[in-house]
Amino acid sequence: MTHLWVRAEQRPNEDRVGLTPQGARTLLDAGYRVTVEHSSVRAIAMQGYLDAGVEAAPENSWPDAPQDAIIFGVKELPEDGTPLHHRHILFGHAYKGQAAGQDLLRRFKAGGGTLYDLEYLVDETGRRVAAFGYWAGFAGAAVSLKCWLAQQQDAQCAPVGVYPSKNALVDELRAEMATTTQIPRAIVIGALGRVGTGGSDLCEELGIKVTKWDMAETAHGGPFPEVLEHEIFLNCILAHPGVPVFVPASAVTDPRKLSVIGDIACDPTSDFSPVKVYDQTTTWDEPALRVHDAPPLDVMAIDNLPSMLPVESSQDFAAQLLPSLLTLDTLQSGVWGRAKTEFDRFISAV
């Protein structure tokens, strides 16, 4: 019997989960064994899982789970260097040259475990079967707008937190925009994807004019002076080989109207990052990284944006992923087989 173990998230400001109580019931009805850890932070209450009939486990007890259990989480594991013996499902951020990712792969190699990276669960056409992208875009655009609004007060963006719903976030932003007569213009690259759609939707809901670019507009490879002609740039393109540079290092001192970069794709340590003016993520406590003072240029690069809207983003993602979870008993084929092939390819080079 396939055993799925849903762990509690251990990363700060991470309240999401990849399985809802309804999804757990579906897995149980299909003959799967499901264990869910208690969690002090999860946005979806534990009682719903208990009512669905799952087995409960103490918070953060996954290292002692049965060896045949498949450990399922959203974000990174604690960086404690311990060998990883289990099969894990999570966003590993390990295949694009990231230093922390290499450490993670070495832990899997030392322990004999396997990573099924959620970013690399793809169908036969190469399209991801589940993503938090829409809500990353929506929240990322919101925080980028907050950064721009703070600049209008000669300040930097205040800390951000969790919202009970998208409507609560939009209402707050609408009230903040009422304090200025200026309306920024935004350019979204990757506008046809999930992330770009979410970012564009947030802007348009608040009356911000959006220039929407995708593959056709960026096919010439750059440079892209149009980016500097907008007050806000939202990068919604994942770093990968062949992605052109949208914001070169020279942009900090080039003539520009651009004052906020929302790098929603957020891969600053990747060699393939299309935004070359910064090299570190930002945080919920300090959302903006000031890379130039006069005129100001701030970068927003929070890498767990959907957790600002944890209930909606978890429900959406879990619904997308559930059909694939229902095939966990065939790990050697389909989406899981393709993810295992990627893992084998990269771990062989560690």
Side-chain angles (χ1 to χ4, degrees), residues 121-170:
L121 294 185
V122 297
D123 62 18
E124 297 85 350
T125 69
R127 180 177 173 80
R128 286 173 61 179
V129 298
F132 284 102
Y134 180 87
W135 298 104
F138 197 93
V143 180
S144 298
L145 179 58
K146 282 179 172 288
C147 292
W148 182 86
L149 287 164
Q151 289 177 350
Q152 309 318 298
Q153 307 297 323
D154 295 321
Q156 286 188 260
C157 188
V160 296
V162 173
Y163 291 83
S165 69
K166 65 171 255 187
N167 290 338
L169 174 57
V170 170

mmCIF file of all heavy atoms in Angstrom, residues 121-170:
data_model
loop_
_atom_site.group_PDB
_atom_site.id
_atom_site.type_symbol
_atom_site.label_atom_id
_atom_site.label_comp_id
_atom_site.label_asym_id
_atom_site.label_seq_id
_atom_site.Cartn_x
_atom_site.Cartn_y
_atom_site.Cartn_z
ATOM 1 N N LEU A 121 7.488 18.082 -12.128
ATOM 2 C CA LEU A 121 6.384 17.169 -12.418
ATOM 3 C C LEU A 121 5.680 17.699 -13.664
ATOM 4 O O LEU A 121 4.943 18.686 -13.599
ATOM 5 C CB LEU A 121 5.404 17.103 -11.249
ATOM 6 C CG LEU A 121 5.891 16.496 -9.938
ATOM 7 C CD1 LEU A 121 4.736 16.419 -8.948
ATOM 8 C CD2 LEU A 121 6.512 15.122 -10.145
ATOM 9 N N VAL A 122 5.926 17.053 -14.795
ATOM 10 C CA VAL A 122 5.411 17.571 -16.065
ATOM 11 C C VAL A 122 4.670 16.471 -16.818
ATOM 12 O O VAL A 122 4.919 15.279 -16.633
ATOM 13 C CB VAL A 122 6.558 18.125 -16.941
ATOM 14 C CG1 VAL A 122 7.231 19.307 -16.257
ATOM 15 C CG2 VAL A 122 7.586 17.037 -17.265
ATOM 16 N N ASP A 123 3.764 16.912 -17.690
ATOM 17 C CA ASP A 123 3.038 15.948 -18.521
ATOM 18 C C ASP A 123 3.860 15.607 -19.762
ATOM 19 O O ASP A 123 5.034 16.010 -19.891
ATOM 20 C CB ASP A 123 1.653 16.484 -18.890
ATOM 21 C CG ASP A 123 1.697 17.763 -19.718
ATOM 22 O OD1 ASP A 123 2.756 18.088 -20.312
ATOM 23 O OD2 ASP A 123 0.655 18.455 -19.792
ATOM 24 N N GLU A 124 3.245 14.899 -20.692
ATOM 25 C CA GLU A 124 3.967 14.442 -21.885
ATOM 26 C C GLU A 124 4.466 15.590 -22.758
ATOM 27 O O GLU A 124 5.413 15.434 -23.525
ATOM 28 C CB GLU A 124 3.068 13.527 -22.725
ATOM 29 C CG GLU A 124 2.642 12.242 -22.029
ATOM 30 C CD GLU A 124 1.406 12.439 -21.163
ATOM 31 O OE1 GLU A 124 0.977 13.603 -20.942
ATOM 32 O OE2 GLU A 124 0.854 11.418 -20.699
ATOM 33 N N THR A 125 3.848 16.755 -22.635
ATOM 34 C CA THR A 125 4.247 17.917 -23.441
ATOM 35 C C THR A 125 5.273 18.788 -22.737
ATOM 36 O O THR A 125 5.723 19.788 -23.294
ATOM 37 C CB THR A 125 3.021 18.772 -23.795
ATOM 38 O OG1 THR A 125 2.519 19.413 -22.601
ATOM 39 C CG2 THR A 125 1.926 17.927 -24.421
ATOM 40 N N GLY A 126 5.631 18.429 -21.505
ATOM 41 C CA GLY A 126 6.581 19.221 -20.740
ATOM 42 C C GLY A 126 5.942 20.298 -19.889
ATOM 43 O O GLY A 126 6.650 21.081 -19.244
ATOM 44 N N ARG A 127 4.628 20.368 -19.845
ATOM 45 C CA ARG A 127 3.944 21.379 -19.035
ATOM 46 C C ARG A 127 3.772 20.874 -17.607
ATOM 47 O O ARG A 127 3.413 19.720 -17.384
ATOM 48 C CB ARG A 127 2.570 21.699 -19.631
ATOM 49 C CG ARG A 127 1.782 22.744 -18.844
ATOM 50 C CD ARG A 127 0.465 23.071 -19.541
ATOM 51 N NE ARG A 127 -0.381 23.944 -18.750
ATOM 52 C CZ ARG A 127 -0.251 25.262 -18.653
ATOM 53 N NH1 ARG A 127 0.723 25.860 -19.341
ATOM 54 N NH2 ARG A 127 -1.064 25.989 -17.920
ATOM 55 N N ARG A 128 4.041 21.752 -16.648
ATOM 56 C CA ARG A 128 3.897 21.378 -15.247
ATOM 57 C C ARG A 128 2.461 21.000 -14.931
ATOM 58 O O ARG A 128 1.509 21.655 -15.383
ATOM 59 C CB ARG A 128 4.355 22.517 -14.343
ATOM 60 C CG ARG A 128 5.871 22.668 -14.296
ATOM 61 C CD ARG A 128 6.295 23.894 -13.545
ATOM 62 N NE ARG A 128 5.843 23.866 -12.150
ATOM 63 C CZ ARG A 128 6.121 24.845 -11.283
ATOM 64 N NH1 ARG A 128 6.825 25.900 -11.668
ATOM 65 N NH2 ARG A 128 5.696 24.757 -10.034
ATOM 66 N N VAL A 129 2.299 19.949 -14.140
ATOM 67 C CA VAL A 129 0.948 19.479 -13.835
ATOM 68 C C VAL A 129 0.319 20.266 -12.692
ATOM 69 O O VAL A 129 -0.907 20.255 -12.526
ATOM 70 C CB VAL A 129 0.951 17.975 -13.502
ATOM 71 C CG1 VAL A 129 1.443 17.163 -14.688
ATOM 72 C CG2 VAL A 129 1.786 17.677 -12.246
ATOM 73 N N ALA A 130 1.136 20.944 -11.893
ATOM 74 C CA ALA A 130 0.600 21.719 -10.777
ATOM 75 C C ALA A 130 1.575 22.837 -10.442
ATOM 76 O O ALA A 130 2.791 22.625 -10.436
ATOM 77 C CB ALA A 130 0.371 20.841 -9.548
ATOM 78 N N ALA A 131 1.039 24.014 -10.158
ATOM 79 C CA ALA A 131 1.894 25.150 -9.849
ATOM 80 C C ALA A 131 1.133 26.153 -8.990
ATOM 81 O O ALA A 131 -0.087 26.271 -9.077
ATOM 82 C CB ALA A 131 2.376 25.823 -11.132
ATOM 83 N N PHE A 132 1.895 26.867 -8.176
ATOM 84 C CA PHE A 132 1.345 27.953 -7.388
ATOM 85 C C PHE A 132 1.417 29.271 -8.163
ATOM 86 O O PHE A 132 1.208 30.337 -7.595
ATOM 87 C CB PHE A 132 2.135 28.124 -6.088
ATOM 88 C CG PHE A 132 1.850 27.087 -5.039
ATOM 89 C CD1 PHE A 132 2.725 26.042 -4.832
ATOM 90 C CD2 PHE A 132 0.721 27.181 -4.236
ATOM 91 C CE1 PHE A 132 2.484 25.092 -3.844
ATOM 92 C CE2 PHE A 132 0.464 26.243 -3.250
ATOM 93 C CZ PHE A 132 1.344 25.194 -3.044
ATOM 94 N N GLY A 133 1.738 29.192 -9.441
ATOM 95 C CA GLY A 133 2.111 30.374 -10.198
ATOM 96 C C GLY A 133 1.134 31.526 -10.152
ATOM 97 O O GLY A 133 1.539 32.677 -9.999
ATOM 98 N N TYR A 134 -0.155 31.243 -10.308
ATOM 99 C CA TYR A 134 -1.114 32.345 -10.357
ATOM 100 C C TYR A 134 -1.034 33.179 -9.082
ATOM 101 O O TYR A 134 -0.996 34.417 -9.126
ATOM 102 C CB TYR A 134 -2.536 31.827 -10.549
ATOM 103 C CG TYR A 134 -3.557 32.948 -10.597
ATOM 104 C CD1 TYR A 134 -3.848 33.586 -11.793
ATOM 105 C CD2 TYR A 134 -4.191 33.392 -9.436
ATOM 106 C CE1 TYR A 134 -4.754 34.649 -11.833
ATOM 107 C CE2 TYR A 134 -5.090 34.445 -9.467
ATOM 108 C CZ TYR A 134 -5.370 35.063 -10.665
ATOM 109 O OH TYR A 134 -6.252 36.115 -10.703
ATOM 110 N N TRP A 135 -0.981 32.502 -7.941
ATOM 111 C CA TRP A 135 -0.990 33.223 -6.672
ATOM 112 C C TRP A 135 0.358 33.861 -6.377
ATOM 113 O O TRP A 135 0.424 34.897 -5.694
ATOM 114 C CB TRP A 135 -1.447 32.294 -5.556
ATOM 115 C CG TRP A 135 -2.840 31.836 -5.826
ATOM 116 C CD1 TRP A 135 -3.248 30.620 -6.296
ATOM 117 C CD2 TRP A 135 -4.032 32.634 -5.735
ATOM 118 N NE1 TRP A 135 -4.605 30.599 -6.491
ATOM 119 C CE2 TRP A 135 -5.117 31.817 -6.156
ATOM 120 C CE3 TRP A 135 -4.285 33.942 -5.338
ATOM 121 C CZ2 TRP A 135 -6.431 32.281 -6.181
ATOM 122 C CZ3 TRP A 135 -5.591 34.404 -5.363
ATOM 123 C CH2 TRP A 135 -6.643 33.581 -5.775
ATOM 124 N N ALA A 136 1.438 33.277 -6.899
ATOM 125 C CA ALA A 136 2.737 33.949 -6.817
ATOM 126 C C ALA A 136 2.685 35.268 -7.574
ATOM 127 O O ALA A 136 3.166 36.305 -7.091
ATOM 128 C CB ALA A 136 3.833 33.051 -7.380
ATOM 129 N N GLY A 137 2.109 35.228 -8.775
ATOM 130 C CA GLY A 137 1.996 36.444 -9.558
ATOM 131 C C GLY A 137 1.122 37.484 -8.899
ATOM 132 O O GLY A 137 1.457 38.680 -8.858
ATOM 133 N N PHE A 138 -0.013 37.048 -8.372
ATOM 134 C CA PHE A 138 -0.956 37.972 -7.739
ATOM 135 C C PHE A 138 -0.318 38.644 -6.517
ATOM 136 O O PHE A 138 -0.320 39.873 -6.390
ATOM 137 C CB PHE A 138 -2.215 37.202 -7.332
ATOM 138 C CG PHE A 138 -3.406 38.066 -7.042
ATOM 139 C CD1 PHE A 138 -4.321 38.349 -8.038
ATOM 140 C CD2 PHE A 138 -3.620 38.576 -5.769
ATOM 141 C CE1 PHE A 138 -5.441 39.138 -7.777
ATOM 142 C CE2 PHE A 138 -4.729 39.376 -5.494
ATOM 143 C CZ PHE A 138 -5.639 39.654 -6.500
ATOM 144 N N ALA A 139 0.270 37.822 -5.638
ATOM 145 C CA ALA A 139 0.890 38.373 -4.428
ATOM 146 C C ALA A 139 2.145 39.165 -4.765
ATOM 147 O O ALA A 139 2.419 40.205 -4.153
ATOM 148 C CB ALA A 139 1.223 37.250 -3.450
ATOM 149 N N GLY A 140 2.937 38.692 -5.751
ATOM 150 C CA GLY A 140 4.150 39.399 -6.117
ATOM 151 C C GLY A 140 3.871 40.778 -6.678
ATOM 152 O O GLY A 140 4.590 41.750 -6.391
ATOM 153 N N ALA A 141 2.836 40.884 -7.486
ATOM 154 C CA ALA A 141 2.448 42.195 -8.002
ATOM 155 C C ALA A 141 1.995 43.097 -6.862
ATOM 156 O O ALA A 141 2.282 44.305 -6.843
ATOM 157 C CB ALA A 141 1.340 42.031 -9.041
ATOM 158 N N ALA A 142 1.287 42.513 -5.892
ATOM 159 C CA ALA A 142 0.821 43.297 -4.753
ATOM 160 C C ALA A 142 1.984 43.861 -3.950
ATOM 161 O O ALA A 142 2.000 45.050 -3.589
ATOM 162 C CB ALA A 142 -0.071 42.434 -3.868
ATOM 163 N N VAL A 143 2.979 43.032 -3.652
ATOM 164 C CA VAL A 143 4.115 43.510 -2.859
ATOM 165 C C VAL A 143 4.940 44.507 -3.675
ATOM 166 O O VAL A 143 5.438 45.501 -3.129
ATOM 167 C CB VAL A 143 4.991 42.337 -2.381
ATOM 168 C CG1 VAL A 143 6.157 42.850 -1.549
ATOM 169 C CG2 VAL A 143 4.166 41.357 -1.558
ATOM 170 N N SER A 144 5.082 44.276 -4.976
ATOM 171 C CA SER A 144 5.807 45.234 -5.815
ATOM 172 C C SER A 144 5.108 46.587 -5.804
ATOM 173 O O SER A 144 5.766 47.637 -5.741
ATOM 174 C CB SER A 144 5.903 44.698 -7.249
ATOM 175 O OG SER A 144 6.621 43.483 -7.281
ATOM 176 N N LEU A 145 3.784 46.576 -5.862
ATOM 177 C CA LEU A 145 3.040 47.829 -5.779
ATOM 178 C C LEU A 145 3.236 48.486 -4.424
ATOM 179 O O LEU A 145 3.379 49.728 -4.330
ATOM 180 C CB LEU A 145 1.559 47.573 -6.049
ATOM 181 C CG LEU A 145 0.635 48.789 -5.975
ATOM 182 C CD1 LEU A 145 1.075 49.877 -6.953
ATOM 183 C CD2 LEU A 145 -0.806 48.389 -6.250
ATOM 184 N N LYS A 146 3.268 47.686 -3.365
ATOM 185 C CA LYS A 146 3.540 48.244 -2.043
ATOM 186 C C LYS A 146 4.920 48.917 -2.002
ATOM 187 O O LYS A 146 5.093 49.975 -1.376
ATOM 188 C CB LYS A 146 3.464 47.150 -0.978
ATOM 189 C CG LYS A 146 2.046 46.762 -0.573
ATOM 190 C CD LYS A 146 2.066 45.647 0.470
ATOM 191 C CE LYS A 146 0.677 45.381 1.022
ATOM 192 N NZ LYS A 146 0.210 46.469 1.919
ATOM 193 N N CYS A 147 5.892 48.306 -2.682
ATOM 194 C CA CYS A 147 7.225 48.915 -2.746
ATOM 195 C C CYS A 147 7.169 50.269 -3.446
ATOM 196 O O CYS A 147 7.787 51.250 -3.006
ATOM 197 C CB CYS A 147 8.191 47.987 -3.478
ATOM 198 S SG CYS A 147 8.599 46.458 -2.599
ATOM 199 N N TRP A 148 6.436 50.333 -4.548
ATOM 200 C CA TRP A 148 6.318 51.591 -5.287
ATOM 201 C C TRP A 148 5.589 52.646 -4.451
ATOM 202 O O TRP A 148 6.000 53.813 -4.408
ATOM 203 C CB TRP A 148 5.581 51.356 -6.603
ATOM 204 C CG TRP A 148 5.468 52.592 -7.439
ATOM 205 C CD1 TRP A 148 6.380 53.085 -8.331
ATOM 206 C CD2 TRP A 148 4.364 53.518 -7.437
ATOM 207 N NE1 TRP A 148 5.926 54.255 -8.882
ATOM 208 C CE2 TRP A 148 4.686 54.544 -8.344
ATOM 209 C CE3 TRP A 148 3.153 53.567 -6.758
ATOM 210 C CZ2 TRP A 148 3.833 55.616 -8.598
ATOM 211 C CZ3 TRP A 148 2.296 54.639 -6.990
ATOM 212 C CH2 TRP A 148 2.641 55.644 -7.908
ATOM 213 N N LEU A 149 4.530 52.257 -3.765
ATOM 214 C CA LEU A 149 3.793 53.198 -2.930
ATOM 215 C C LEU A 149 4.673 53.727 -1.802
ATOM 216 O O LEU A 149 4.603 54.914 -1.455
ATOM 217 C CB LEU A 149 2.548 52.521 -2.361
ATOM 218 C CG LEU A 149 1.409 52.278 -3.363
ATOM 219 C CD1 LEU A 149 0.406 51.266 -2.806
ATOM 220 C CD2 LEU A 149 0.717 53.591 -3.716
ATOM 221 N N ALA A 150 5.513 52.874 -1.234
ATOM 222 C CA ALA A 150 6.424 53.328 -0.182
ATOM 223 C C ALA A 150 7.402 54.355 -0.737
ATOM 224 O O ALA A 150 7.733 55.346 -0.058
ATOM 225 C CB ALA A 150 7.168 52.135 0.417
ATOM 226 N N GLN A 151 7.879 54.154 -1.961
ATOM 227 C CA GLN A 151 8.791 55.118 -2.569
ATOM 228 C C GLN A 151 8.153 56.496 -2.684
ATOM 229 O O GLN A 151 8.853 57.521 -2.582
ATOM 230 C CB GLN A 151 9.231 54.636 -3.949
ATOM 231 C CG GLN A 151 10.163 53.449 -3.947
ATOM 232 C CD GLN A 151 10.487 52.982 -5.354
ATOM 233 O OE1 GLN A 151 9.875 53.425 -6.332
ATOM 234 N NE2 GLN A 151 11.447 52.082 -5.468
ATOM 235 N N GLN A 152 6.845 56.545 -2.912
ATOM 236 C CA GLN A 152 6.176 57.840 -3.040
ATOM 237 C C GLN A 152 6.205 58.616 -1.722
ATOM 238 O O GLN A 152 6.006 59.840 -1.705
ATOM 239 C CB GLN A 152 4.728 57.653 -3.509
ATOM 240 C CG GLN A 152 4.557 56.778 -4.740
ATOM 241 C CD GLN A 152 5.578 57.042 -5.819
ATOM 242 O OE1 GLN A 152 5.646 58.141 -6.365
ATOM 243 N NE2 GLN A 152 6.370 56.028 -6.145
ATOM 244 N N GLN A 153 6.458 57.892 -0.636
ATOM 245 C CA GLN A 153 6.592 58.519 0.681
ATOM 246 C C GLN A 153 8.058 58.592 1.120
ATOM 247 O O GLN A 153 8.344 58.795 2.305
ATOM 248 C CB GLN A 153 5.796 57.711 1.710
ATOM 249 C CG GLN A 153 4.342 57.464 1.358
ATOM 250 C CD GLN A 153 3.529 58.730 1.261
ATOM 251 O OE1 GLN A 153 3.742 59.661 2.046
ATOM 252 N NE2 GLN A 153 2.598 58.774 0.309
ATOM 253 N N ASP A 154 8.978 58.431 0.136
ATOM 254 C CA ASP A 154 10.417 58.434 0.427
ATOM 255 C C ASP A 154 10.767 57.390 1.489
ATOM 256 O O ASP A 154 11.590 57.631 2.385
ATOM 257 C CB ASP A 154 10.884 59.822 0.883
ATOM 258 C CG ASP A 154 10.755 60.859 -0.214
ATOM 259 O OD1 ASP A 154 11.042 60.525 -1.382
ATOM 260 O OD2 ASP A 154 10.346 62.000 0.087
ATOM 261 N N ALA A 155 10.151 56.233 1.365
ATOM 262 C CA ALA A 155 10.393 55.157 2.328
ATOM 263 C C ALA A 155 10.611 53.855 1.568
ATOM 264 O O ALA A 155 10.562 53.807 0.341
ATOM 265 C CB ALA A 155 9.213 55.036 3.284
ATOM 266 N N GLN A 156 10.874 52.807 2.314
ATOM 267 C CA GLN A 156 10.947 51.468 1.748
ATOM 268 C C GLN A 156 9.800 50.630 2.289
ATOM 269 O O GLN A 156 9.216 50.946 3.331
ATOM 270 C CB GLN A 156 12.291 50.810 2.051
ATOM 271 C CG GLN A 156 13.435 51.388 1.201
ATOM 272 C CD GLN A 156 14.726 50.611 1.368
ATOM 273 O OE1 GLN A 156 15.613 51.015 2.103
ATOM 274 N NE2 GLN A 156 14.835 49.493 0.671
ATOM 275 N N CYS A 157 9.495 49.573 1.577
ATOM 276 C CA CYS A 157 8.310 48.774 1.861
ATOM 277 C C CYS A 157 8.340 48.214 3.281
ATOM 278 O O CYS A 157 9.360 47.674 3.730
ATOM 279 C CB CYS A 157 8.205 47.638 0.846
ATOM 280 S SG CYS A 157 6.675 46.697 0.935
ATOM 281 N N ALA A 158 7.223 48.337 3.961
ATOM 282 C CA ALA A 158 7.080 47.785 5.298
ATOM 283 C C ALA A 158 6.943 46.268 5.223
ATOM 284 O O ALA A 158 6.664 45.701 4.160
ATOM 285 C CB ALA A 158 5.857 48.399 5.978
ATOM 286 N N PRO A 159 7.123 45.575 6.329
ATOM 287 C CA PRO A 159 6.940 44.116 6.335
ATOM 288 C C PRO A 159 5.559 43.726 5.830
ATOM 289 O O PRO A 159 4.584 44.464 5.983
ATOM 290 C CB PRO A 159 7.133 43.744 7.808
ATOM 291 C CG PRO A 159 8.013 44.821 8.351
ATOM 292 C CD PRO A 159 7.598 46.075 7.633
ATOM 293 N N VAL A 160 5.481 42.542 5.220
ATOM 294 C CA VAL A 160 4.211 42.007 4.736
ATOM 295 C C VAL A 160 3.887 40.743 5.520
ATOM 296 O O VAL A 160 4.729 40.200 6.230
ATOM 297 C CB VAL A 160 4.258 41.708 3.220
ATOM 298 C CG1 VAL A 160 4.458 42.991 2.434
ATOM 299 C CG2 VAL A 160 5.368 40.704 2.895
ATOM 300 N N GLY A 161 2.639 40.290 5.384
ATOM 301 C CA GLY A 161 2.221 39.115 6.131
ATOM 302 C C GLY A 161 1.149 38.334 5.412
ATOM 303 O O GLY A 161 0.964 38.474 4.199
ATOM 304 N N VAL A 162 0.441 37.521 6.152
ATOM 305 C CA VAL A 162 -0.581 36.634 5.608
ATOM 306 C C VAL A 162 -1.917 37.367 5.526
ATOM 307 O O VAL A 162 -2.268 38.139 6.420
ATOM 308 C CB VAL A 162 -0.716 35.375 6.482
ATOM 309 C CG1 VAL A 162 -1.884 34.520 6.037
ATOM 310 C CG2 VAL A 162 0.582 34.574 6.453
ATOM 311 N N TYR A 163 -2.653 37.098 4.455
ATOM 312 C CA TYR A 163 -3.986 37.668 4.273
ATOM 313 C C TYR A 163 -5.011 36.540 4.244
ATOM 314 O O TYR A 163 -4.750 35.472 3.675
ATOM 315 C CB TYR A 163 -4.054 38.473 2.977
ATOM 316 C CG TYR A 163 -3.236 39.733 3.025
ATOM 317 C CD1 TYR A 163 -1.868 39.711 2.759
ATOM 318 C CD2 TYR A 163 -3.823 40.949 3.368
ATOM 319 C CE1 TYR A 163 -1.106 40.863 2.834
ATOM 320 C CE2 TYR A 163 -3.065 42.108 3.438
ATOM 321 C CZ TYR A 163 -1.705 42.070 3.173
ATOM 322 O OH TYR A 163 -0.949 43.213 3.242
ATOM 323 N N PRO A 164 -6.179 36.774 4.807
ATOM 324 C CA PRO A 164 -7.194 35.717 4.823
ATOM 325 C C PRO A 164 -7.785 35.437 3.456
ATOM 326 O O PRO A 164 -8.343 34.359 3.236
ATOM 327 C CB PRO A 164 -8.258 36.262 5.787
ATOM 328 C CG PRO A 164 -8.084 37.750 5.747
ATOM 329 C CD PRO A 164 -6.609 37.967 5.558
ATOM 330 N N SER A 165 -7.676 36.410 2.536
ATOM 331 C CA SER A 165 -8.234 36.235 1.194
ATOM 332 C C SER A 165 -7.645 37.267 0.258
ATOM 333 O O SER A 165 -7.083 38.275 0.703
ATOM 334 C CB SER A 165 -9.762 36.388 1.215
ATOM 335 O OG SER A 165 -10.104 37.739 1.490
ATOM 336 N N LYS A 166 -7.783 37.031 -1.043
ATOM 337 C CA LYS A 166 -7.315 38.011 -2.017
ATOM 338 C C LYS A 166 -8.084 39.311 -1.891
ATOM 339 O O LYS A 166 -7.529 40.397 -2.107
ATOM 340 C CB LYS A 166 -7.440 37.453 -3.443
ATOM 341 C CG LYS A 166 -8.841 37.199 -3.919
ATOM 342 C CD LYS A 166 -8.863 36.850 -5.415
ATOM 343 C CE LYS A 166 -9.369 38.025 -6.206
ATOM 344 N NZ LYS A 166 -9.565 37.704 -7.643
ATOM 345 N N ASN A 167 -9.361 39.242 -1.533
ATOM 346 C CA ASN A 167 -10.151 40.461 -1.406
ATOM 347 C C ASN A 167 -9.606 41.352 -0.293
ATOM 348 O O ASN A 167 -9.593 42.584 -0.424
ATOM 349 C CB ASN A 167 -11.616 40.117 -1.140
ATOM 350 C CG ASN A 167 -12.292 39.501 -2.350
ATOM 351 O OD1 ASN A 167 -11.844 39.687 -3.479
ATOM 352 N ND2 ASN A 167 -13.353 38.742 -2.124
ATOM 353 N N ALA A 168 -9.158 40.754 0.791
ATOM 354 C CA ALA A 168 -8.585 41.536 1.882
ATOM 355 C C ALA A 168 -7.314 42.240 1.420
ATOM 356 O O ALA A 168 -7.074 43.409 1.766
ATOM 357 C CB ALA A 168 -8.287 40.624 3.077
ATOM 358 N N LEU A 169 -6.503 41.556 0.634
ATOM 359 C CA LEU A 169 -5.274 42.158 0.111
ATOM 360 C C LEU A 169 -5.597 43.296 -0.845
ATOM 361 O O LEU A 169 -5.006 44.383 -0.762
ATOM 362 C CB LEU A 169 -4.438 41.085 -0.585
ATOM 363 C CG LEU A 169 -3.178 41.543 -1.321
ATOM 364 C CD1 LEU A 169 -2.242 42.298 -0.391
ATOM 365 C CD2 LEU A 169 -2.461 40.346 -1.953
ATOM 366 N N VAL A 170 -6.531 43.082 -1.762
ATOM 367 C CA VAL A 170 -6.895 44.119 -2.725
ATOM 368 C C VAL A 170 -7.483 45.332 -2.019
ATOM 369 O O VAL A 170 -7.169 46.480 -2.355
ATOM 370 C CB VAL A 170 -7.874 43.562 -3.775
ATOM 371 C CG1 VAL A 170 -8.460 44.673 -4.627
ATOM 372 C CG2 VAL A 170 -7.167 42.541 -4.664
#
